Structure formats: structure tokens, C-alpha cells
């Protein structure tokens, strides 16, 4: 479809019909919504530029077809999505069923569209549309959309009449008023009917800051602002980008009111303090912990429902324990948890060796499917489940030894405690762990002159023993002194011999 804008800009004398026919000849997957190139062209009819929400800030959506193949909705980052059912009544999109189901499973507000072929029977196309969506649309299902950007060789009056036939059948069959998708210039040139203003408008316009709308409408409901190419949008990812002109709440209302999320969890309790108070741990310490959550979604939790690290997601935690599923997965569900039920996620925190204050964040996810905090799901947010942990250095062992009492030996300090000083002349006792030992004046351990310790009794016998020890020590001293004098005497005698 890009060739349309190029030739129009060049002033080529080609008709839109001819170019569309050329495009459909090369389209092996059928035609898809791409009328936005018309914004770059011109028309003989007046159009009105109409601003709304910022195209990057409003609720984001995607519209897909078999051109995108097996589309990964988990990475689209959208609140709503539309999948093509068919190109006319003859080409059925093989990816519609899987896209339709996956959008619902992921909690994405879903819609279906049909590339309308004015040259084919309008009733047959409308009936196919109703059949494929299963009749009446439910909560979370956006109105069906008719993609009007081809003429099929029909006159404006015929095209307008067939659109009305299609809309009447689809509205009655699905219970919701359909949306009309088109380009402002295409509608002005090839439909030329201003009586459709009562139906929501999905305008296609690539490039401008505000789109133009055709005669008959005063505002737009959806805007396809990009075809996935970065030349038209900074968030191009290879698929059509759309925005809803309103709030997320208004979008849900359009889809049929409040929609219960597929996956959701609410906080019940946790074993560690709230983040305003730090949990203290010693370096290398391992501590049992748990977080209890309630299933607020519509789908049971199973073995793929897990706690995961967040802020950022899937980071390796400094507190990962060998019992964790992985360094970024503390725990998972064992068995199943029905909607409304609660589950205690139990895990261990293993403190790192480096002291400091750490902030740990956790989220919930269905592994390989979605995070509970993704758009359309029920939470909790990535920054809600938090633990503030202060890691301190591990304590050393042993304390200072007490001073020795007079004539006694100092007692040894126990682990973490200080030994008390000896009382009187006795040695100190040993301090108990974490306590203080006092000395005894009547008993203790006395070292002899060879360094060995001799046990001395207490009481009166103890005092007698001390006298005995003193006498023995005095005798030893005198004996040693006498020996010293005797050793010097012969020298003096040799010096005085006759």
C-alpha cells in the first residue's frame, strides 16, 4: 500500500482502484488494515484535522493478520488488540483463532476485524464475521470492525449501501455497534457518505501529530498511527500501532464493562518487616522467609506460578539461596491454587558477605505466559513486594583476658565476654560465655617456679598451705644464694694463698 502515497505525491495519473488491485495481486496473505498512507495524499473533499490523546500516551493497541504469523502478544506491550478474521468472504485468516484466544488468555481487550471487499456479497461477509466471533460478544470483547479501504470497482453509492448492510447484520449478531476503519481521503473520495457519524471511527493516518477525519464525524475513537515502521513512529515494532482516544477505564467500558484479569494476586502477609523497617542479617546467615498471596484472577495457579525478582525483572538476587528455583526465582506453587485461594510462597534468604543495606523486590508471574503486573492483569506491581535488608559483619569470638590477682594467674576470657579481675591474692576464674567472672580471694591457681600450675585448697588449710609454700620458697632462695657465694670463694682463696 506504500505505493499509493508515493504515486499520489508524484502526481501520477493512477487511480486508487488500479493501485489497490495491484496490491491485492501481490498479497499472498490477503489485504490488511493499512489505509493510513492516504494521509499523505490529497482529496477533492474537505477533511477536518482533529487532535485527541497523545498517540504514545493513550491506551496502546495492535491490529494483526497472518502477515505477522504467530504473533507474540506477551511482548507487544498493549492494552487492546484486533485480529483479522478474513479478507472478504473467501480468504480466511489462518491465525485468527489463535490470536483471538491468546488475547483473552493474557487479559488483553480483544477485537476482530474484516477487510471489506465491496465487490463481494456484503451479507456473506457479515455472516462470516458473526460466526467467527461466536455470536454475541462478551465482557472484554471490543466491537467488531469493518476495514473500508478498497472499492472493488464499485461506485461510492454501492459501497455505502453495502457497508450499511454489513453493519446492520453484525450489530444484530454480536450485540455491539461496529467500528468503521478507514482513511480520511479514501472515505471522502470513494464512499462520499456523511451519514455514518453514529458509529465509532477508527482513523488511519501515519505521520501527523493529529489525524484528519472525514465528513460526518466530529471525533475519532481509535487511531492507527503507525504501520510498524520507525519512519512513522518511534515505537515501531513491525506491526500496526493504534491508540484509543480516551482513558483505560473508558476503553474497558467500550469492551463491555469491568473485565476480571486472568492472572492477579493480592498481598496477605509476609514473615519479614515491611520495607520501612530493615531486616537485620549477619553476613553469610540463612533465614527462612515467606510471602502469602491471594489469587484474585480467574485462572488457577499451578507449577508455573512463581515469585520472581523485579526492579529490574529477572535480576540475580544477592540473597539467592541454593534452595531457590533459580537466582531470580525464589519459590513456586506446588499443586494448584483456585481463584480466591491463598498460597504461602516459602523460601530462604542467604545474606551476602558484603555488609550494607539492600532493597529486594519481588513480583509474581506465570512462567512463559505473563507477569501479573503486565497490562490487563491484576498485579501486584513490580515494586510492591519489597524487603529492606541490612547486612552486618559476623561477630568475632573471644574477649580480653582479665587481670591477674596478686600472685595468681589471670582467667581466660570466654567467647564474647570479659574475664573478671582476681580478688585478693587468688587468681581469676574463667568468664562464662557472654558474662563476667569474678575472682576469689581464697582460691585460685598458683604457678610454681617452673611454670606449672598447682591446685591450692581453700579455707584454713589453704592458708596453712600458703605459709608452707612461702617457707619452701624462702629455703630455695637461700639455698641458691648460698650456692652462688660458694662458687666465688675458691677464686678469692687462690688469690691469697701463701
Amino acid at each position: 500500500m506504500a505505493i499509493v502515497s508515493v504515486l499520489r505525491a508524484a502526481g501520477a495519473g493512477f487511480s486508487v482502484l488500479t493501485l489497490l488491485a495491484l496490491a491485492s495481486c501481490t498479497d499472498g496473505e490477503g489485504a490488511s488494515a493499512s489505509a493510513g498512507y492516504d494521509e499523505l495524499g490529497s482529496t477533492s473533499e474537505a477533511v477536518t484535522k482533529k487532535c485527541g490523546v497523545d498517540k504514545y500516551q493513550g491506551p496502546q493497541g495492535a491490529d494483526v493478520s497472518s502477515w505477522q504469523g504467530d504473533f507474540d502478544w506477551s511482548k507487544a506491550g498493549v492494552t487492546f488488540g484486533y485480529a483479522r478474521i478474513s479478507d472478504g468472504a473467501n480468504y480466511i485468516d489462518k491465525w485468527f483463532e489463535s490470536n483471538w484466544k491468546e488475547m483473552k488468555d493474557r487479559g488483553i481487550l480483544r477485537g476482530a476485524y474484516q477487510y471489506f471487499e465491496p465487490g463481494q456479497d456484503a451479507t456473506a461477509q457479515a455472516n462470516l464475521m458473526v460466526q467467527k466471533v461466536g455470536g454475541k460478544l462478551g465482557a472484554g470483547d471490543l466491537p467488531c470492525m469493518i476495514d473500508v479501504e478498497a472499492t472493488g470497482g464499485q461506485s461510492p453509492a454501492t459501497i455505502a449501501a453495502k457497508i450499511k448492510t454489513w453493519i446492520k447484520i453484525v450489530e444484530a449478531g454480536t450485540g455491539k455497534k461496529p467500528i468503521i476503519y478507514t482513511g480520511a481521503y479514501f472515505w471522502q473520495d470513494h464512499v462520499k457518505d456523511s451519514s455514518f457519524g453514529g458509529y465509532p471511527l477508527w482513523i488511519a493516518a501515519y505521520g501527523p501529530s493529529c489525524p484528519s477525519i472525514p465528513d460526518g464525524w466530529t471525533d475519532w475513537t481509535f487511531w492507527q498511527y503507525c504501520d510498524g515502521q520507525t519512519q512513522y513512529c518511534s515505537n515501531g515494532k513491525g506491526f500496526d500501532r493504534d491508540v484509543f482516544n480516551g482513558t483505560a477505564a473508558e476503553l474497558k467500558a467500550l469492551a463491555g464493562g469491568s473485565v476480571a484479569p486472568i492472572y492477579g494476586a493480592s498481598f496477605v502477609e509476609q514473615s519479614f518487616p515491611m520495607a520501612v523497617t530493615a531486616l537485620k542479617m549477619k553476613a553469610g546467615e540463612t533465614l527462612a522467609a515467606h510471602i502469602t498471596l491471594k489469587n484474585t484472577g480467574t485462572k488457577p495457579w499451578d507449577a508455573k506460578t512463581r515469585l520472581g525478582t523485579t526492579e529490574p525483572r529477572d535480576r540475580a538476587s544477592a540473597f539467592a539461596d541454593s534452595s531457590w528455583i533459580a537466582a531470580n526465582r525464589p519459590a513456586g506453587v506446588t499443586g494448584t491454587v483456585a481463584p480466591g485461594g491463598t498460597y504461602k510462597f516459602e523460601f530462604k534468604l542467604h545474606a551476602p558477605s558484603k555488609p550494607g543495606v539492600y532493597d529486594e523486590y519481588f513480583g509474581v508471574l506465570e512462567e512463559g505466559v505473563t507477569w501479573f503486573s503486565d497490562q490487563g492483569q491484576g498485579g501486584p506491581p513490580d515494586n510492591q513486594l519489597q524487603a529492606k535488608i541490612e547486612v552486618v559483619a559476623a561477630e568475632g569470638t573471644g574477649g580480653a583476658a582479665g587481670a591477674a590477682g596478686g600472685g595468681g594467674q589471670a582467667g581466660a576470657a570466654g567467647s564474647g565476654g570479659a574475664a573478671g579481675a582476681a580478688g585478693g591474692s587468688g587468681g581469676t576464674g574463667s568468664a562464662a560465655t557472654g558474662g563476667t567472672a569474678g575472682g576469689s580471694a581464697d582460691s585460685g591457681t598458683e604457678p610454681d617456679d617452673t611454670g606449672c600450675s598447682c591446685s591450692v585448697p581453700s579455707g584454713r588449710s589453704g592458708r596453712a598451705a600458703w605459709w608452707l609454700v612461702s617457707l619452701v620458697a624462702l629455703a630455695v632462695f637461700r639455698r641458691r644464694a648460698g650456692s652462688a657465694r660458694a662458687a666465688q670463694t675458691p677464686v678469692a682463696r687462690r688469690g691469697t694463698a701463701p
Side-chain angles (χ1 to χ4, degrees):
M1 295 296 291
I3 193 173
V4 176
S5 60
V6 173
L7 292 178
R8 274 185 166 170
F14 282 69
S15 69
V16 175
L17 172 60
T18 304
L19 292 172
L20 288 171
L22 288 172
S24 61
C25 287
T26 59
D27 188 350
E29 298 293 340
S32 59
S34 56
Y37 295 109
D38 284 340
E39 182 73 22
L40 305 179
S42 62
T43 178
S44 59
E45 302 292 335
V47 294
T48 303
K49 189 169 289 293
K50 181 68 177 180
C51 294
V53 299
D54 184 277
K55 61 185 176 182
Y56 298 124
Q57 300 301 318
Q60 297 292 297
D63 61 271
V64 300
S65 67
S66 56
W67 281 102
Q68 282 72 44
D70 188 7
F71 188 70
D72 189 351
W73 289 98
S74 68
K75 297 180 180 179
V78 297
T79 302
F80 68 94
Y82 269 75
R84 187 185 67 173
I85 284 178
S86 69
D87 177 346
N90 300 326
Y91 181 87
I92 309 301
D93 196 307
K94 62 185 178 182
W95 290 103
F96 172 72
E97 279 77 12
S98 62
N99 283 322
W100 186 246
K101 180 180 183 300
E102 190 172 355
M103 283 188 286
K104 184 175 181 63
D105 288 347
R106 294 187 178 279
I108 296 172
L109 300 177
R110 65 180 184 176
Y113 82 91
Q114 184 178 66
Y115 189 92
F116 186 64
E117 293 286 1
Q120 297 180 18
D121 184 77
T123 299
Q125 293 181 74
N127 286 337
L128 175 63
M129 188 81 185
V130 174
Q131 174 202 340
K132 285 293 185 180
V133 298
K136 299 294 182 182
L137 296 171
D141 294 340
L142 291 162
C144 292
M145 178 256 278
I146 180 173
D147 178 356
V148 182
E149 56 178 305
T151 66
Q154 307 299 305
S155 68
T158 299
I159 294 173
K162 288 191 172 185
I163 292 173
K164 290 177 180 178
T165 297
W166 188 98
I167 284 177
K168 183 178 180 180
I169 295 172
V170 172
E171 183 172 359
T174 64
K176 295 185 179 182
K177 184 174 290 189
I179 299 169
I180 297 175
Y181 166 98
T182 193
Y185 298 147
F186 178 86
W187 188 273
Q188 295 292 74
D189 287 345
H190 303 288
V191 182
K192 298 183 178 181
D193 193 314
S194 61
S195 65
F196 290 88
Y199 292 90
L201 172 66
W202 190 323
I203 195 68
Y206 309 152
S209 57
C210 298
S212 298
I213 59 177
D215 188 27
W217 281 280
T218 59
D219 207 347
W220 50 271
T221 302
F222 293 94
W223 173 17
Q224 186 189 69
Y225 62 86
C226 184
D227 64 349
Q229 300 182 52
T230 54
Q231 70 183 97
Y232 298 119
C233 59
S234 61
N235 60 351
K237 292 185 178 180
F239 58 88
D240 293 342
R241 305 301 303 243
D242 308 282
V243 64
F244 173 71
N245 193 17
T247 65
E250 290 170 332
L251 179 62
K252 286 185 177 181
L254 181 62
S258 179
V259 181
I262 301 298
Y263 295 103
S266 62
F267 175 80
V268 177
E269 59 90 27
Q270 62 190 35
S271 62
F272 43 89
M274 295 297 180
V276 292
T277 303
L279 169 68
K280 291 190 176 181
M281 295 182 69
K282 296 178 183 179
E285 179 183 4
T286 299
L287 183 69
H290 71 260
I291 298 175
T292 303
L293 302 173
K294 180 180 180 180
N295 184 352
T296 58
T298 58
K299 195 167 185 176
W301 295 350
D302 54 25
K304 291 185 177 180
T305 308
R306 297 171 176 175
L307 279 183
T309 55
T310 55
E311 301 294 289
R313 290 179 179 178
D314 292 328
R315 62 177 171 78
S317 172
F319 292 82
D321 183 71
S322 59
S323 61
W324 287 25
I325 298 171
N328 55 12
R329 297 288 185 271
V333 169
T334 299
T336 58
V337 181
T342 60
Y343 187 80
K344 181 187 290 187
F345 290 89
E346 297 179 286
F347 54 98
K348 293 180 179 179
L349 295 170
H350 182 79
S353 59
K354 183 179 180 180
V357 178
Y358 297 79
D359 287 303
E360 282 291 310
Y361 293 91
F362 303 101
V364 190
L365 71 153
E366 187 70 9
E367 199 74 73
V369 179
T370 186
W371 284 81
F372 285 23
S373 55
D374 283 346
Q375 289 184 334
Q377 304 303 340
D382 283 355
N383 62 354
Q384 180 179 339
L385 304 178
Q386 179 185 3
K388 183 180 290 292
I389 306 173
E390 181 182 356
V391 178
V392 297
E395 293 182 2
T397 58
Q409 178 183 3
S415 174
S425 60
T428 62
S430 60
T433 301
T436 305
S440 169
D442 295 333
S443 64
T445 303
E446 177 68 20
D448 64 13
D449 59 7
T450 63
C452 100
S453 298
C454 304
S455 177
V456 181
S458 61
R460 180 176 299 177
S461 60
R463 286 192 292 272
W466 277 111
W467 281 105
L468 179 60
V469 170
S470 298
L471 290 173
V472 172
L474 180 60
V476 171
F477 174 78
R478 288 178 175 176
R479 181 179 178 182
R480 289 182 175 178
S483 298
R485 287 194 297 271
Q488 294 175 356
T489 300
V491 176
R493 286 175 181 175
R494 281 193 296 271
T496 59

